Amino acid sequence: MKAWQFVGVNEPLIRNELPDPEAGQGEIVIDIKAAGLCHSDVSYIDGTLTSLLAHIPIVLGHEIAGIVSAVGSGVTDFSVGQRVGIPATVDSPGTARNGGFADKVVAVAGQCVHLPDAVAFEQAAPAMDAARTAYRGLVTAGHVVAGMTVGIIGFGGLGSLAVQIAHEIGAIIYVAEVNEAAWDEARKQGARDVAADIREFEDKGLDVIVDFAGYGTTTAAAIDAVRPQGRVVQVGLAREMATISAQKITMKEITYIGAANGDKSEAEAVLALMASGNIKSDVLPITFDEIPDCLKKLELGGVRGRYVALAQPASDDKPGS
């Protein structure tokens, strides 16, 4: 099979011919239909997160969706021909073993999830990381349910998905986003109102605020704006340190909690929500040949949407393409 291998920090990916993977005990082989590109891939390449990789050279790509093509002994939950995704973790393909920037990948069956037919491969791939992370921030850490009033800070890839998920759940949503060009889209996706600073909505009784930006100042603003006994969830990490008011946290009895990328059950939950057709990433489809060039564009910044490398045209996909 053909694969893009990472061979060293700040070195270009190399397109190599590798042996087709085989399914060992408890494993499945997946023919890759879609592989998402993530800023974490850039951080692996530039040295920021390289230490997390199990070995070098390695095939990157941790947002993976495809079709089972082989099943190892002891596997009972999957069979050849089924549609599957691999939730991204430090123990999954793209970090712990060869990943999705290839024709095929082998994965531990217990790490994988079934894909609803209504969720296209190109949407399922980024859902294995981005949508699941947004879901964890809102639901697992934020405890958001129908009827709650929610603040979302940052309307980028994660923030956009969070707005859609919160709207699907039935929450009332207010968005803080400094880029005014994105305000109309935030309203279209379900935000009741949008402003540059979440403190503009301090009078709305925000039960939960999820900070997908993480600039420190945004976290401090969330502490200011959330209602007494509300929750502030930290997902974005644009800055390592934030100066926040311990006095306000104490006097308002605020819960401040962090949320990372989630687990398998959260991937399954967000896929079930996505099956409604109302939750979608802003996908930028590319070919597998374009992966290195598009990773460079991610490194340079300014990309709106998520690059997803497709093994075949989206029109050949299941319903929902």
Side-chain angles (χ1 to χ4, degrees), residues 75-152:
V75 175
T76 58
D77 291 342
F78 297 92
S79 58
V80 172
Q82 290 185 323
R83 306 171 76 247
V84 297
I86 310 175
T89 71
V90 294
D91 298 321
S92 64
T95 305
R97 59 167 71 189
N98 283 336
F101 297 162
D103 296 328
K104 296 174 180 285
V105 69
V106 63
V108 175
Q111 293 179 333
C112 300
V113 295
H114 293 277
L115 301 182
D117 284 347
V119 179
F121 289 121
E122 66 184 80
Q123 290 293 331
M128 295 298 94
D129 191 4
R132 183 188 57 170
T133 300
Y135 180 92
R136 185 176 183 86
L138 279 169
V139 179
T140 306
H143 300 175
V144 173
V145 296
M148 292 179 69
T149 304
V150 178
I152 302 294

Side-chain angles (χ1 to χ4, degrees), residues 25-284:
Q25 184 172 359
E27 296 178 334
I28 58 176
V29 174
I30 300 166
D31 289 350
I32 296 171
K33 298 302 180 184
L37 280 60
C38 178
H39 280 280
S40 295
D41 295 312
V42 174
S43 296
Y44 292 144
I45 294 169
D46 70 13
T48 305
L49 295 177
T50 313
S51 62
L52 296 179
L53 299 175
H55 55 81
I56 299 174
I58 191 171
V59 179
L60 298 178
H62 53 271
E63 299 181 352
I64 302 167
I67 294 176
V68 179
S69 58
V71 175
S73 61
V75 175
T76 58
D77 291 342
F78 297 92
S79 58
V80 172
Q82 290 185 323
R83 306 171 76 247
V84 297
I86 310 175
T89 71
V90 294
D91 298 321
S92 64
T95 305
R97 59 167 71 189
N98 283 336
F101 297 162
D103 296 328
K104 296 174 180 285
V105 69
V106 63
V108 175
Q111 293 179 333
C112 300
V113 295
H114 293 277
L115 301 182
D117 284 347
V119 179
F121 289 121
E122 66 184 80
Q123 290 293 331
M128 295 298 94
D129 191 4
R132 183 188 57 170
T133 300
Y135 180 92
R136 185 176 183 86
L138 279 169
V139 179
T140 306
H143 300 175
V144 173
V145 296
M148 292 179 69
T149 304
V150 178
I152 302 294
I153 300 177
F155 189 72
L158 291 179
S160 170
L161 286 163
V163 169
Q164 295 174 65
I165 292 168
H167 187 257
E168 187 71 7
I169 290 171
I172 301 164
I173 308 154
Y174 293 91
V175 170
E177 169 56 53
V178 295
N179 179 14
E180 293 188 24
W183 288 12
D184 285 345
E185 183 61 28
R187 291 188 178 97
K188 288 178 183 177
Q189 292 186 8
R192 180 162 296 187
D193 203 357
V194 190
D197 192 318
I198 197 66
R199 284 173 289 208
E200 293 292 321
F201 306 121
E202 188 173 352
D203 63 345
K204 303 301 182 183
L206 299 173
D207 299 299
V208 179
I209 299 176
V210 186
D211 182 6
F212 288 99
Y215 279 95
T217 53
T218 54
T219 309
I223 297 296
D224 289 344
V226 74
R227 68 163 175 80
Q229 297 182 330
R231 298 175 73 85
V232 173
V233 181
Q234 191 71 54
V235 177
L237 295 173
R239 299 288 184 272
E240 181 182 0
M241 306 295 290
T243 300
I244 58 179
S245 172
Q247 185 180 67
K248 288 183 178 178
I249 290 175
T250 302
M251 299 305 293
K252 292 171 69 176
E253 297 185 323
I254 295 167
T255 298
Y256 176 53
I257 186 171
N261 69 347
D263 59 23
K264 177 177 176 177
S265 65
E266 289 159 319
E268 293 169 332
V270 80
L271 286 169
L273 285 175
M274 291 177 72
S276 69
N278 297 326
I279 300 169
K280 292 184 177 181
S281 292
D282 180 12
V283 167
L284 304 173

